[in-house]
Every structure is written in structure tokens, then in C-alpha cells.
Amino acid sequence: MGNDVDILILGAGACGLAAAIAAHDAGRSVAILEKLDRPGGNSALSTGSVPAAGTRFQREAGIADSPAAFERDLMAIADETDDPALVRRLTAISAETVEWLVDTVGARLKLVTAYRHIGHSVPRLHAPVSRRGQDLVDDLIAATDRRAIPVAIGNAARELIVENGAICGAMVETGGRQSEVRAGKTILALNGFADNAALVSRFCPEIAGAQYFGARGSTGEAVLWGERLGADLANMAAYQGYAAVAHPHGSLLSWTTIEKGGFLVGANGRRFGDESLGYSGFARIVLGQGEFAFAVFDRRVHDIAAQEEEFAELVRYGGVKTATSSADLAQFYGLDAAALGRELDAYNAAAGGGAPDRFGRRDFGLAPLVAPYHICRVVPGLFHTQGGLRVDGDARVLRKGRPIPNLFAGGGAAAGISGRTGALGYASGNGLLSAIALGRIAALAAARELDGAGT
Ligand SMILES: Cc1cc2nc3c(=O)[nH]c(=O)nc-3n(C[C@H](O)[C@H](O)[C@H](O)COP(=O)(O)OP(=O)(O)OC[C@H]3O[C@@H](n4cnc5c(N)ncnc54)[C@H](O)[C@@H]3O)c2cc1C
């Protein structure tokens, strides 16, 4: 039976769109199927930041960097990973990936030099000026439009077609009707399983129960189908969390508020950990301490965070309260006022004293805090999972270490580069690097295999 398309891509986030562009430019017919009624997925919700080491943009900014330095940074925070080779591969191709995005895709990315991001020893994040992932997605979609690549929204892949152990496309549901789309090669760009509570409980129990804060499509089909195929899974317990989603507003409380000197307390007015673990690593601690947590900071910190659009909007919608004393601050949410007062005093003493506090926090930003104070009620969130299908250096999905014929994966569908377990191994940008770099090399390898097969 003939193929409908050379390369079928499932999922229209950054991974799927990048794969489609690369496959088209390699001379292959390609189509993308997207389950939801719009493309973009989590990529559109992200800040669009893609890390890369050794780009010409870094050189122009006088920043010395190399894939080896990037790999060292990732391995230092990942601690342990099921797949060090993938870390090496992605750091090695990170610069060409970002330059391809700018030069071939036309993505409007700029090197962020204003500050260094979590996990990176030098500035290496390349992001839209707006810091909105939607802009990056828009640029990817414009590039697929220019190439007349079909992006079929409202088409959910329901199952892979497997014949004699090889993948031959997917069963697709459109408006309640199922049909076959047959393809020479299939790329899974479906993201992970953060929107599938059962899979989160099974693989990432420490963050089960946190509010999922991503796009609705990440329901874990890549893992479910992969398990049925006997595919290898890796780094399944790794995820990216966020310790401070404003409640009930549902927007992120900028972590700048904490890095620049704020702290978090529970309803009892007491701190419960070292916030300098970072927004991802601290999410689990916030989840474990009670229903809500409360971020406390002062006017100077507030004014720095207010330069960020999302924080300014949260303030406009009343998510950040102000008081001139800690006792008044406690009243907004019925916190134990005496305990909050004691906690503020202890925190300020530690910040002024130069020694680590009782949780080991050493960096207090602008603290000691001074009145007037601000408070924001928060809950922890889960952004995305970082485990998935184990792939080789060309993004081929592996089964017992050998490629499953015709099947590729990238982005959140594949195993990530953020360590084996937990949220501490996530360096800013790991998600999009996996998405775009793996999507592109999957497409290039798929095209090469088709060329080799003479099809
Ligand atoms: C709030 C937030 C901020 C973030 N910030 C950053 C950041 O700045 N930098 C960074 O690197 N990472 C960031 N991340 C993570 C990053 O967004 C993801 O790692 C990355 O976008 C994954 O890309 P993807 O293409 O694999 O998945 P997605 O962009 O989610 O795309 C997957 C697509 O597949 C579709 N799909 C799913 N199942 C099916 C199916 N059965 N059939 C057809 N289609 C299907 C989905 O609907 C979706 O559109 C952030 C995440 C969140 C939630």
C-alpha cells in the first residue's frame, strides 16, 4: 500500500514544526497532525528561550562558550542521568540549531545578556524579545506556511500502525471518524505526560497533586504507545515544576520576587525551606507543606519584578497585596501574625548577618526586607515532564537499545536532558532545546533513511 506522505509528524509544537521544516527542506513530503484546535502546545506557553553554546550571537556579544562548557553545566545540575550521550549530542548541536532557527526558519531570537539563567554559567539563552513562546511558534508556523506544509488541526493520532515490527503511520481521529495516514517515517512530537494524572502518579509521584500548568495536549500517548511497543523509557521521574503559581489567578508569580530577596511561608506564618533551590526544585517542598503558600517581599523587590509583564498584570488583577506592617500583611489571608512577625525578624537577621539561615539559604538578594511589604498567595505547579522514549543520536526510538524501524521522537515525547529524577536537574531552556534540536535531527535522519532506501 502506498504512503500518503514521506514523513508524518504527530504534534504541532516546537518539535513538530521544526521537524516539518527540516523534512521539507530535505526534499521530503511531510504533514503534521495536531490533536487540539490550534498549534503551539506548551511551546506557545513557554518563554521561547532556547539555550545554545558557541553561537555567533554569543561571539558578537563577547561571550566565550563551548558545547563542553554547556555539557558540564547540565551534568553538574542533572546529577545523574540515564542518557549522558544525549546531553553531549544536544549540547554539541545547540549552536547550529539556534543559527538554523534564525537563518533558515526566520525566528526572531536574540541572545539574552541581561542575566544568566538557572543552570547556565554564561548567557546562552536565545529568546524572542517579548519572551513569549507564542512569538517563536508564530515564526515556525510562518515558515511552514511559506513551504505550504499542511498542519491539520483537530486531528488526534490514536494509535501507531505497526506492520512486521515497523511503524507505517498512524490511526487518526477527525471529528469522531477514524482513518489511516500511512507514512514512510513517523516522528512523535506529542510532548510528555504532565496532563495525565495517572502517569504523573506512576512516574513522578513526588509532584502528583500539583496543578498542571501547561497546554492541554500533553496526555502521554508517546509513553503509552511506546510501552506497548516495548520501547525503552528513560529519565521518567524528571520534571519541571514551578513553586509559585498565583492563586486563584493562575499566572506565575515571578521568581524574581524570591531571588531578589523574598521568601515563602505557610499558613502558620513560618518558612519551610531554602527557596534558593529554585522555582523548579522548590515546587515539591511547597506541595508538601500545605494547601497554600505565601510569598513575602518588599517594595524594592516588587518594583524590579514589575518590569516583567506577567507580574505587572498580576498586580493589576489584585494578586499582590500591600501592607505597612507584617501584622497587617498576615491579615489578608488569616496567617498567624505573631509567627509571621518572628519569621520576618529571623529572616532579616540572617540576611544581614552573612551566614546561611537555618535552611541553608545564603543568597538573600536585597534583604533585609523593609516596609511596606507585599504578599501573594501561591500553589505549586507542574510545567512539563522530562522523561520519555529513549532515542539515539538521530532521535530514533530505541527498543532494547536498537531502533524501532521508522519511528523517531523529540521534545517532551523523548527522554530529556534534565537528569534522571526530580526537578532540580532542569536548566532554563532544556525543554525547547530537546524539542527543536531533536525535531530537526529526527527529520534529517528520516529523510536520509528514505534517500538510502531509494523512496
Ligand atoms: C509555562 C511554561 C513555561 C515554559 N518555559 C520554557 C522555556 O522558556 N524554555 C524551555 O526550554 N522550555 C520551557 N517550557 C517547557 C517547554 O515548553 C516544553 O518542553 C516544549 O515546549 C516541548 O515542546 P514539544 O514540541 O515537545 O511539545 P508541545 O509544544 O507541547 O507540542 C506538542 C503538541 O502535540 C500535540 N499532541 C499531543 N498528543 C497528540 C496526539 N495524540 N495527536 C496529535 N497531536 C498531539 C499537543 O496538542 C501539542 O500541540 C515551559 C513550559 C511551560 C508549561
Side-chain angles (χ1 to χ4, degrees), residues 11 15 34-35 42-43 46-47 157 190-191 217 221 412 426 429 431-432:
C15 179
E34 166 56 47
K35 172 165 72 175
N42 267 9
S43 304
S46 75
T47 61
L190 308 161
N191 208 346
E221 288 92 322
Y426 185 82
L432 282 175

Side-chain angles (χ1 to χ4, degrees), residues 393-447:
D394 281 322
R396 295 183 185 90
V397 176
L398 300 174
R399 174 172 47 205
K400 296 198 172 76
R402 298 178 59 80
I404 297 177
N406 305 337
L407 188 63
F408 298 77
I417 51 172
S418 303
R420 181 174 291 153
T421 180
L424 287 171
Y426 185 82
S428 297
N430 277 5
L432 282 175
L433 177 61
S434 300
I436 295 165
L438 281 178
R440 176 169 169 263
I441 59 175
L444 295 178

Side-chain angles (χ1 to χ4, degrees), residues 9-17 33-36 38-51 125 131 137 155-158 189-192 212-221 225 240 252 279 382-386 410-413 426-436:
I9 295 168
L10 306 180
C15 179
L17 294 165
L33 303 180
E34 166 56 47
K35 172 165 72 175
L36 300 184
R38 54 180 297 182
N42 267 9
S43 304
L45 298 182
S46 75
T47 61
S49 311
V50 192
L125 262 67
R131 310 302 307 278
V137 167
N155 282 270
R158 293 296 180 212
L190 308 161
N191 208 346
Y212 171 56
F213 197 76
R216 290 272 67 102
S218 300
T219 41
E221 288 92 322
W225 300 339
Q240 185 193 4
L252 305 187
Y279 60 74
L382 171 61
F383 271 8
H384 58 111
T385 51
Q386 286 279 294
Y426 185 82
S428 297
N430 277 5
L432 282 175
L433 177 61
S434 300
I436 295 165

